[in-house]
Amino acid sequence: QLYREARECLTLLSQRLGSQKFFFGDSPASLDALVFSRLAPLLKAKLPNGKLQQHLKSLQNLCNYCTSILSLYFPWDRGESRPPSHLQAWDGSEAEEDPHKRRKQLLSVLVGLVAMLGYAFLSGIVSIQRGSVGPAGRQPVTLEEEEEEE
């Protein structure tokens, strides 16, 4: 029942799209975003049951629609190794725009470390005890005492 309704829905979408580039003409609308968000994973993902995927692949205009949107809005997904520079995250390979970027990163790490250590001391998680008490509350053994015991 569910597969039959999904196939019917895909067929109706295909009929509505026809030979247009987008559902409402030559420019995308919110409906195009919604439809693409459902069709692209169905078209591209490996599914355990491929009935619906095969039906979608048989509707050539919907496949072209997805391919067109992918190449128009996601060009790096088409074989390029990374996204365009305006969408690119810093990965160390691009020239640094800010000459003090490394110094700022190091400073922020140090501030974070000091803040965490300060919190640990103030909350009592870590404490410093002064004195000569050794492990398990015993006094440390000096060299002279050690010689006496032998």
Side-chain angles (χ1 to χ4, degrees), residues 3-76:
Y3 280 114
R4 186 170 43 85
E5 289 179 10
R7 282 193 309 268
E8 183 180 340
C9 181
L10 289 175
T11 303
L12 290 172
L13 282 172
S14 176
Q15 290 172 357
R16 171 64 182 91
L17 180 64
S19 60
Q20 299 180 103
K21 187 173 181 176
F22 299 104
F23 280 96
F24 294 112
D26 290 333
S27 59
S30 58
L31 176 65
D32 292 294
L34 179 70
V35 170
F36 174 76
S37 72
R38 300 301 194 265
L39 292 182
L42 180 60
L43 185 63
K44 298 292 183 180
K46 293 181 180 176
L47 303 172
N49 187 345
K51 291 179 186 177
L52 201 55
Q53 191 175 50
Q54 289 303 318
H55 183 67
L56 176 58
K57 287 180 179 180
S58 72
L59 302 169
Q60 196 58 45
N61 64 339
L62 288 180
C63 291
N64 294 340
Y65 170 79
C66 288
T67 304
S68 170
I69 290 177
L70 280 170
S71 63
L72 185 61
Y73 294 104
F74 306 99
W76 65 88

